[in-house]
Amino acid sequence: MKNNGLIIVVFIFLALLSFQRAESQTQEANKITGNYTIPDCPDWAKNAVFYQIYPQTFYDSDGDGIGDLQGITQKLDYIKSLGVDAIWLNPFFESPFCDAGYDISDYYKVAPRYGTNDDAKTLFAEAHKRGLHVLFDFVASYTSMEHPWFKASAQQQKNRYTNWYIWTDNIWTNPPRRYLDSFVKGYGTRNGQYMRNFYYCEPALNYGFALPDTACKWQLPTNHPDVMSMREEMKNVVRFWMALGADGFRADMAGALAKTANIQGNQQFFNTHEDATKKFWKEVRAMLKNEYPNAFTVSEWSYPLDALDGCFNADFFHWFDGYNDLFQKEGWRILNGVSEGHSYFDVEGKGDIKHFLDNFMVQYNPTKGKGYISLPLGNHDNARLGNNRSDDDLEMIYAFGLTMPGVPFIYYGNEIGMKQMLSDWPQVEGAYRPRNGARTPMQWTSGKNLGFSTAASEKLYLPVDSAKNAPNVADEEKNPNSLLNKTRKLIALKHTEPALANYAEFIPLFAQSKTYPFVYARANKKDVVLVILNPSGKEATARFDLPLKYAKTSVLAGKALKLQKKDNTVTVTVPGQTYSIVKLL
């Protein structure tokens, strides 16, 4: 019995010691230091906010029903008025438009429906006059099947482009089963099947195989001369648009270049986890540093550990387990037919911020100082954030997006609360549900076609929102309390508060599973800001350690909340659907 008693005492002692260590580690993790490292990037981009434009539905300058580059140029003053620093343009290149322009048939030419190369040059120049920068969309992993390179590659006779795409060597013999559904047969005179990199009409460019299968002679190594030749041509594409005046690019499906024997399912589209892919992007970045040192690049990789490892300045972190937990976890909201769950930013209050945050921190902590993570505020591939949300709901989402660390990207129209269109909206150019309902024309006025175009309504690229109360820029400009003007204030706050800079320290203070609110600190040396978010419809209380001395607080945005501090513990009770951005003074 004595021995058992001793064992129990020792067990309790070890348990207490373990608890104290865990508590100490938690406190250390939550310690606000104000320290940070600014990632290596151009000065103009260190604290930038970006605005994403879908060219075909932003503004139609010539009345043909489709947006164009001159239309974007005409709206630059509006874009500047938002307070953003830069623009990302979805593809505006020559294309048969099977995938809304991502299927490029000429990398060096603006599609006629958007204008000319001179129009692009003018757009870049006019943006620069206003202190704005412009990124183009660099689609490096595939082309259109109508591209001359691919048509030549599909010929029976060998030529310069034969190996610029991935082809098997026999039309009748299928590739290994791990590539199921990745190859298309029966095109051209070539005896083989070509690999697609998304839709059937988008054949994969050949960056080689990191571990070629000796049984598949068609799998070329990454250093094959033909592979290297194609890679150099892609670098020339970048040089061409940079010379014309672009300030960098967003890389589409950036992690899906070099292939691997271990590829599985959709990994081929996003991340093949191959150093050979990173090697190409590192070469491009070195080229830009040497030839265009003010260039900024952001990747659609959704794996910052790879993307920010000397490859890009920033990475979109949205194709990962956790992002949908924020805004679009419900099947009826994301409209992809497979998702089920509860968004954290929803009045029902059943979301889980912890699941998102755990995934985020695994990528954020090791990449601090290496580059930026971007949590986009909507984009062309997802349903609109305004899907069954009020302007107050959206304001809180933007408060979150503009106070988190990293580079914010705001999707056009979200600043005025544009809504997701109905499921039966026309599906055009590969824009299937939900994308079709999120790519509708920008709503400028309450007039004809909501100010997007003078064309007859039946000629529009996509129909405009037919609701009588459809939000529009003109009306919201007049209302100081509109979502548009609140968004402007949040963007301005990000630029004026040192603690809200893209690179400033980020410390979660209260983030519990299936619990509200979410509280975190941003710190830049001695400047400290707390962000408190309760999107649920119910009052919620947070209690967290805050071992900092401060005399008073100042509400920068949202509502005033009483912070009750005892010793080093702060307690705050937050009404339902309330947020507050508080500066400690």
Side-chain angles (χ1 to χ4, degrees), residues 224-438:
H224 188 281
D226 293 348
V227 170
M228 300 299 288
S229 174
M230 186 278 298
R231 285 168 45 150
E232 289 305 309
E233 184 64 24
M234 297 309 289
K235 293 176 187 177
N236 288 335
V237 170
V238 173
R239 289 186 175 101
F240 179 85
W241 292 104
M242 294 300 296
L244 211 63
D247 299 291
F249 60 80
R250 173 262 193 184
D252 179 70
M253 293 165 60
L257 303 187
K259 305 307 178 186
T260 170
N262 298 318
I263 197 168
Q264 294 290 332
N266 283 338
Q267 274 187 315
Q268 66 170 298
F269 302 141
F270 301 109
N271 192 357
T272 55
H273 298 283
E274 284 303 338
D275 286 341
T277 291
K278 292 165 64 175
K279 184 175 185 296
F280 172 76
W281 290 120
K282 287 179 180 180
E283 290 173 3
V284 172
R285 185 165 183 180
M287 176 193 79
L288 289 172
K289 278 191 172 184
N290 182 50
E291 300 175 26
Y292 299 97
N294 286 319
F296 182 85
T297 59
V298 57
S299 58
E300 182 194 31
W301 200 316
S302 273
Y303 198 73
L305 286 171
D306 278 351
L308 304 182
D309 184 20
C311 300
F312 292 90
N313 300 116
D315 181 37
F316 283 124
F317 198 37
H318 59 327
W319 303 127
F320 78 99
D321 183 27
Y323 178 77
N324 284 349
D325 289 59
L326 294 171
F327 316 127
Q328 297 181 323
K329 191 69 170 177
E330 301 86 356
W332 58 265
R333 177 169 271 151
I334 195 170
L335 299 173
N336 64 359
V338 296
S339 179
E340 288 301 335
H342 305 277
S343 299
Y344 187 78
F345 285 90
D346 190 274
V347 66
E348 70 170 357
K350 294 182 179 180
D352 188 353
I353 197 66
K354 190 71 163 51
H355 183 62
F356 156 77
L357 190 62
D358 287 347
N359 283 280
F360 178 81
M361 296 303 287
V362 165
Q363 299 281 332
Y364 172 71
N365 281 327
T367 57
K368 285 186 292 187
K370 294 182 178 181
Y372 294 113
I373 293 175
S374 177
L375 300 169
L377 293 171
N379 73 7
H380 63 292
D381 285 334
N382 289 316
R384 287 269 180 191
L385 293 178
N387 193 348
N388 201 34
R389 285 192 172 100
S390 68
D391 284 357
D392 288 343
D393 295 333
L394 290 173
E395 180 188 352
M396 195 179 310
I397 287 174
Y398 302 163
F400 164 78
L402 290 163
T403 59
M404 283 289 284
V407 181
F409 278 73
I410 300 171
Y411 187 46
Y412 83 98
N414 278 357
E415 74 275 16
I416 60 171
M418 282 179 60
K419 305 301 181 184
Q420 175 73 15
M421 293 299 101
L422 305 175
S423 297
D424 61 356
W425 226 247
Q427 297 180 157
V428 299
E429 298 185 352
Y432 303 102
R433 175 188 183 196
R435 296 174 176 181
N436 59 328

Side-chain angles (χ1 to χ4, degrees), residues 440-475:
T440 55
M442 180 66 176
Q443 297 160 196
W444 296 103
T445 71
S446 59
K448 180 181 178 180
N449 298 325
L450 299 185
F452 164 69
S453 173
T454 59
S457 59
E458 64 270 16
K459 291 186 177 181
L460 298 184
Y461 178 82
L462 277 170
V464 298
D465 187 348
S466 59
K468 291 182 179 180
N469 62 345
N472 66 80
V473 171
D475 288 348

Side-chain angles (χ1 to χ4, degrees), residues 24-66:
S24 175
Q25 290 173 354
T26 299
Q27 290 175 354
E28 186 67 24
N30 289 344
K31 185 178 179 181
I32 300 170
T33 68
N35 298 330
Y36 59 85
T37 301
I38 301 177
D40 178 22
C41 71
D43 285 341
W44 67 263
K46 288 177 180 177
N47 194 32
V49 176
F50 285 76
Y51 187 70
Q52 180 190 350
I53 293 177
Y54 197 62
Q56 49 266 63
T57 52
F58 193 64
Y59 186 62
D60 172 19
S61 70
D62 58 8
D64 66 354
I66 299 176

Side-chain angles (χ1 to χ4, degrees), residues 33-36 499 523-529 548 583-585:
T33 68
N35 298 330
Y36 59 85
N524 186 327
K525 299 179 181 177
K526 293 184 178 181
D527 284 289
V528 179
V529 168
L548 288 179
K583 186 169 185 176
L584 304 184
L585 300 170

Side-chain angles (χ1 to χ4, degrees), residues 7-21:
I7 291 172
I8 292 172
V9 170
V10 171
F11 177 80
I12 293 173
F13 173 77
L14 291 174
L16 288 172
L17 182 62
S18 176
F19 175 80
Q20 289 174 347
R21 285 176 177 172

Side-chain angles (χ1 to χ4, degrees), residues 143-144 147 149-150 153 161-167 203-206:
T143 71
S144 164
H147 199 296
W149 300 347
F150 182 67
S153 179
Y161 304 104
T162 294
N163 290 324
W164 279 31
Y165 297 82
I166 300 173
W167 291 84
L205 285 165
N206 194 355

Side-chain angles (χ1 to χ4, degrees), residues 84-98:
V84 301
D85 306 273
I87 302 164
W88 158 37
L89 299 174
N90 289 99
F92 50 75
F93 314 104
E94 181 78 89
S95 170
F97 294 103
C98 294

